[in-house]
Amino acid sequence: MSDGDLVLIVEDNEKNMKLARDLLQYAGMRTLEATSAEDGIAIAVREHPDIVLMDIQLPGMDGIAALRKLREDDRTSGIPIVALTASVMQADRDRFEAAGFDAFMQKPVEVRTFAAEVRRLSAKGRNR
Ligand code: MN
């Protein structure tokens, strides 16, 4: 298990965090967790995960601002970052894409496909 993809989950909802963590670990991936953007950025700099799953609505700094910080920093600019969003609105999806997320995933996550999708996005890497 120790060589599985390292996934940083930034999510302030405890139930969402637990589900994501359980699904990824069950699939052999390693997880890091942050419940705020600030903590997520610090962990990303320190641990250099293979991929970041970023909630948008967070206490304090939101996920879009966190994305910008991670992109500005040479230590984290190459890490694929996926927006986790409960929104199904196209305008929001367009906004996330314009902000520079590599992909987005819908919450609640699809239990059967979530881990495989995270692995695929991790292997694919940055969009540009
Ligand atoms: Mn949230």
PDB file of all heavy atoms in Angstrom, residues 34-52:
ATOM      1  N   ALA A  34      -7.050  17.766   5.041  1.00  0.00           N
ATOM      2  CA  ALA A  34      -7.084  19.118   5.590  1.00  0.00           C
ATOM      3  C   ALA A  34      -8.533  19.573   5.594  1.00  0.00           C
ATOM      4  O   ALA A  34      -9.288  19.263   4.670  1.00  0.00           O
ATOM      5  CB  ALA A  34      -6.237  20.066   4.749  1.00  0.00           C
ATOM      6  N   THR A  35      -8.923  20.315   6.620  1.00  0.00           N
ATOM      7  CA  THR A  35     -10.294  20.811   6.711  1.00  0.00           C
ATOM      8  C   THR A  35     -10.385  22.305   6.406  1.00  0.00           C
ATOM      9  O   THR A  35     -11.445  22.894   6.525  1.00  0.00           O
ATOM     10  CB  THR A  35     -10.888  20.522   8.110  1.00  0.00           C
ATOM     11  OG1 THR A  35     -10.039  21.101   9.103  1.00  0.00           O
ATOM     12  CG2 THR A  35     -10.989  19.019   8.341  1.00  0.00           C
ATOM     13  N   SER A  36      -9.264  22.905   6.026  1.00  0.00           N
ATOM     14  CA  SER A  36      -9.277  24.301   5.578  1.00  0.00           C
ATOM     15  C   SER A  36      -8.297  24.455   4.423  1.00  0.00           C
ATOM     16  O   SER A  36      -7.355  23.647   4.272  1.00  0.00           O
ATOM     17  CB  SER A  36      -8.877  25.254   6.716  1.00  0.00           C
ATOM     18  OG  SER A  36      -7.495  25.142   6.989  1.00  0.00           O
ATOM     19  N   ALA A  37      -8.507  25.502   3.629  1.00  0.00           N
ATOM     20  CA  ALA A  37      -7.602  25.781   2.513  1.00  0.00           C
ATOM     21  C   ALA A  37      -6.196  26.066   3.019  1.00  0.00           C
ATOM     22  O   ALA A  37      -5.209  25.611   2.427  1.00  0.00           O
ATOM     23  CB  ALA A  37      -8.134  26.968   1.710  1.00  0.00           C
ATOM     24  N   GLU A  38      -6.114  26.808   4.100  1.00  0.00           N
ATOM     25  CA  GLU A  38      -4.804  27.182   4.647  1.00  0.00           C
ATOM     26  C   GLU A  38      -3.997  25.937   5.019  1.00  0.00           C
ATOM     27  O   GLU A  38      -2.813  25.824   4.682  1.00  0.00           O
ATOM     28  CB  GLU A  38      -4.991  28.105   5.864  1.00  0.00           C
ATOM     29  CG  GLU A  38      -5.542  29.494   5.514  1.00  0.00           C
ATOM     30  CD  GLU A  38      -7.071  29.559   5.408  1.00  0.00           C
ATOM     31  OE1 GLU A  38      -7.739  28.501   5.392  1.00  0.00           O
ATOM     32  OE2 GLU A  38      -7.601  30.686   5.325  1.00  0.00           O
ATOM     33  N   ASP A  39      -4.644  25.021   5.725  1.00  0.00           N
ATOM     34  CA  ASP A  39      -3.953  23.780   6.099  1.00  0.00           C
ATOM     35  C   ASP A  39      -3.623  22.948   4.858  1.00  0.00           C
ATOM     36  O   ASP A  39      -2.574  22.325   4.782  1.00  0.00           O
ATOM     37  CB  ASP A  39      -4.822  22.939   7.046  1.00  0.00           C
ATOM     38  CG  ASP A  39      -4.859  23.515   8.454  1.00  0.00           C
ATOM     39  OD1 ASP A  39      -4.068  24.430   8.745  1.00  0.00           O
ATOM     40  OD2 ASP A  39      -5.682  23.039   9.256  1.00  0.00           O
ATOM     41  N   GLY A  40      -4.541  22.933   3.901  1.00  0.00           N
ATOM     42  CA  GLY A  40      -4.317  22.164   2.686  1.00  0.00           C
ATOM     43  C   GLY A  40      -3.087  22.652   1.930  1.00  0.00           C
ATOM     44  O   GLY A  40      -2.287  21.858   1.440  1.00  0.00           O
ATOM     45  N   ILE A  41      -2.930  23.953   1.834  1.00  0.00           N
ATOM     46  CA  ILE A  41      -1.770  24.527   1.149  1.00  0.00           C
ATOM     47  C   ILE A  41      -0.485  24.127   1.879  1.00  0.00           C
ATOM     48  O   ILE A  41       0.502  23.709   1.251  1.00  0.00           O
ATOM     49  CB  ILE A  41      -1.912  26.062   1.053  1.00  0.00           C
ATOM     50  CG1 ILE A  41      -3.035  26.415   0.084  1.00  0.00           C
ATOM     51  CG2 ILE A  41      -0.592  26.692   0.613  1.00  0.00           C
ATOM     52  CD1 ILE A  41      -3.484  27.859   0.151  1.00  0.00           C
ATOM     53  N   ALA A  42      -0.492  24.244   3.188  1.00  0.00           N
ATOM     54  CA  ALA A  42       0.705  23.888   3.968  1.00  0.00           C
ATOM     55  C   ALA A  42       1.072  22.415   3.768  1.00  0.00           C
ATOM     56  O   ALA A  42       2.253  22.072   3.602  1.00  0.00           O
ATOM     57  CB  ALA A  42       0.466  24.192   5.444  1.00  0.00           C
ATOM     58  N   ILE A  43       0.072  21.562   3.753  1.00  0.00           N
ATOM     59  CA  ILE A  43       0.333  20.127   3.585  1.00  0.00           C
ATOM     60  C   ILE A  43       0.824  19.841   2.166  1.00  0.00           C
ATOM     61  O   ILE A  43       1.735  19.036   1.962  1.00  0.00           O
ATOM     62  CB  ILE A  43      -0.934  19.308   3.912  1.00  0.00           C
ATOM     63  CG1 ILE A  43      -1.242  19.419   5.410  1.00  0.00           C
ATOM     64  CG2 ILE A  43      -0.761  17.839   3.505  1.00  0.00           C
ATOM     65  CD1 ILE A  43      -2.591  18.839   5.818  1.00  0.00           C
ATOM     66  N   ALA A  44       0.236  20.507   1.183  1.00  0.00           N
ATOM     67  CA  ALA A  44       0.655  20.292  -0.209  1.00  0.00           C
ATOM     68  C   ALA A  44       2.120  20.680  -0.403  1.00  0.00           C
ATOM     69  O   ALA A  44       2.884  19.980  -1.072  1.00  0.00           O
ATOM     70  CB  ALA A  44      -0.237  21.091  -1.156  1.00  0.00           C
ATOM     71  N   VAL A  45       2.519  21.794   0.185  1.00  0.00           N
ATOM     72  CA  VAL A  45       3.914  22.242   0.088  1.00  0.00           C
ATOM     73  C   VAL A  45       4.849  21.231   0.738  1.00  0.00           C
ATOM     74  O   VAL A  45       5.908  20.905   0.205  1.00  0.00           O
ATOM     75  CB  VAL A  45       4.067  23.643   0.750  1.00  0.00           C
ATOM     76  CG1 VAL A  45       5.530  23.990   0.950  1.00  0.00           C
ATOM     77  CG2 VAL A  45       3.365  24.701  -0.094  1.00  0.00           C
ATOM     78  N   ARG A  46       4.438  20.721   1.879  1.00  0.00           N
ATOM     79  CA  ARG A  46       5.299  19.839   2.671  1.00  0.00           C
ATOM     80  C   ARG A  46       5.359  18.422   2.109  1.00  0.00           C
ATOM     81  O   ARG A  46       6.410  17.790   2.071  1.00  0.00           O
ATOM     82  CB  ARG A  46       4.775  19.814   4.103  1.00  0.00           C
ATOM     83  CG  ARG A  46       5.737  19.228   5.109  1.00  0.00           C
ATOM     84  CD  ARG A  46       5.202  19.369   6.521  1.00  0.00           C
ATOM     85  NE  ARG A  46       4.049  18.510   6.744  1.00  0.00           N
ATOM     86  CZ  ARG A  46       2.882  18.916   7.261  1.00  0.00           C
ATOM     87  NH1 ARG A  46       2.715  20.163   7.614  1.00  0.00           N
ATOM     88  NH2 ARG A  46       1.889  18.072   7.435  1.00  0.00           N
ATOM     89  N   GLU A  47       4.220  17.902   1.646  1.00  0.00           N
ATOM     90  CA  GLU A  47       4.129  16.474   1.303  1.00  0.00           C
ATOM     91  C   GLU A  47       4.127  16.210  -0.199  1.00  0.00           C
ATOM     92  O   GLU A  47       4.274  15.071  -0.623  1.00  0.00           O
ATOM     93  CB  GLU A  47       2.858  15.872   1.918  1.00  0.00           C
ATOM     94  CG  GLU A  47       2.719  16.088   3.422  1.00  0.00           C
ATOM     95  CD  GLU A  47       3.668  15.217   4.228  1.00  0.00           C
ATOM     96  OE1 GLU A  47       4.186  14.227   3.675  1.00  0.00           O
ATOM     97  OE2 GLU A  47       3.899  15.535   5.413  1.00  0.00           O
ATOM     98  N   HIS A  48       3.904  17.234  -0.988  1.00  0.00           N
ATOM     99  CA  HIS A  48       3.835  17.105  -2.440  1.00  0.00           C
ATOM    100  C   HIS A  48       3.009  15.894  -2.893  1.00  0.00           C
ATOM    101  O   HIS A  48       3.543  14.923  -3.444  1.00  0.00           O
ATOM    102  CB  HIS A  48       5.233  17.051  -3.056  1.00  0.00           C
ATOM    103  CG  HIS A  48       5.245  17.576  -4.456  1.00  0.00           C
ATOM    104  ND1 HIS A  48       5.033  16.773  -5.557  1.00  0.00           N
ATOM    105  CD2 HIS A  48       5.382  18.829  -4.935  1.00  0.00           C
ATOM    106  CE1 HIS A  48       5.061  17.514  -6.647  1.00  0.00           C
ATOM    107  NE2 HIS A  48       5.272  18.762  -6.297  1.00  0.00           N
ATOM    108  N   PRO A  49       1.704  15.946  -2.667  1.00  0.00           N
ATOM    109  CA  PRO A  49       0.835  14.832  -3.062  1.00  0.00           C
ATOM    110  C   PRO A  49       0.776  14.682  -4.585  1.00  0.00           C
ATOM    111  O   PRO A  49       1.149  15.592  -5.324  1.00  0.00           O
ATOM    112  CB  PRO A  49      -0.537  15.248  -2.516  1.00  0.00           C
ATOM    113  CG  PRO A  49      -0.471  16.735  -2.437  1.00  0.00           C
ATOM    114  CD  PRO A  49       0.955  17.058  -2.069  1.00  0.00           C
ATOM    115  N   ASP A  50       0.312  13.516  -5.039  1.00  0.00           N
ATOM    116  CA  ASP A  50       0.160  13.266  -6.481  1.00  0.00           C
ATOM    117  C   ASP A  50      -1.026  14.023  -7.058  1.00  0.00           C
ATOM    118  O   ASP A  50      -1.059  14.314  -8.257  1.00  0.00           O
ATOM    119  CB  ASP A  50      -0.020  11.773  -6.732  1.00  0.00           C
ATOM    120  CG  ASP A  50       1.218  10.991  -6.331  1.00  0.00           C
ATOM    121  OD1 ASP A  50       2.293  11.285  -6.895  1.00  0.00           O
ATOM    122  OD2 ASP A  50       1.126  10.118  -5.455  1.00  0.00           O
ATOM    123  N   ILE A  51      -2.010  14.297  -6.208  1.00  0.00           N
ATOM    124  CA  ILE A  51      -3.229  14.987  -6.652  1.00  0.00           C
ATOM    125  C   ILE A  51      -3.893  15.621  -5.434  1.00  0.00           C
ATOM    126  O   ILE A  51      -3.738  15.115  -4.316  1.00  0.00           O
ATOM    127  CB  ILE A  51      -4.185  14.000  -7.373  1.00  0.00           C
ATOM    128  CG1 ILE A  51      -5.373  14.722  -8.030  1.00  0.00           C
ATOM    129  CG2 ILE A  51      -4.656  12.879  -6.445  1.00  0.00           C
ATOM    130  CD1 ILE A  51      -6.176  13.834  -8.990  1.00  0.00           C
ATOM    131  N   VAL A  52      -4.601  16.727  -5.677  1.00  0.00           N
ATOM    132  CA  VAL A  52      -5.359  17.387  -4.604  1.00  0.00           C
ATOM    133  C   VAL A  52      -6.833  17.388  -4.989  1.00  0.00           C
ATOM    134  O   VAL A  52      -7.191  17.774  -6.110  1.00  0.00           O
ATOM    135  CB  VAL A  52      -4.896  18.848  -4.388  1.00  0.00           C
ATOM    136  CG1 VAL A  52      -5.742  19.530  -3.304  1.00  0.00           C
ATOM    137  CG2 VAL A  52      -3.416  18.911  -4.022  1.00  0.00           C
TER     138      VAL A  52
END
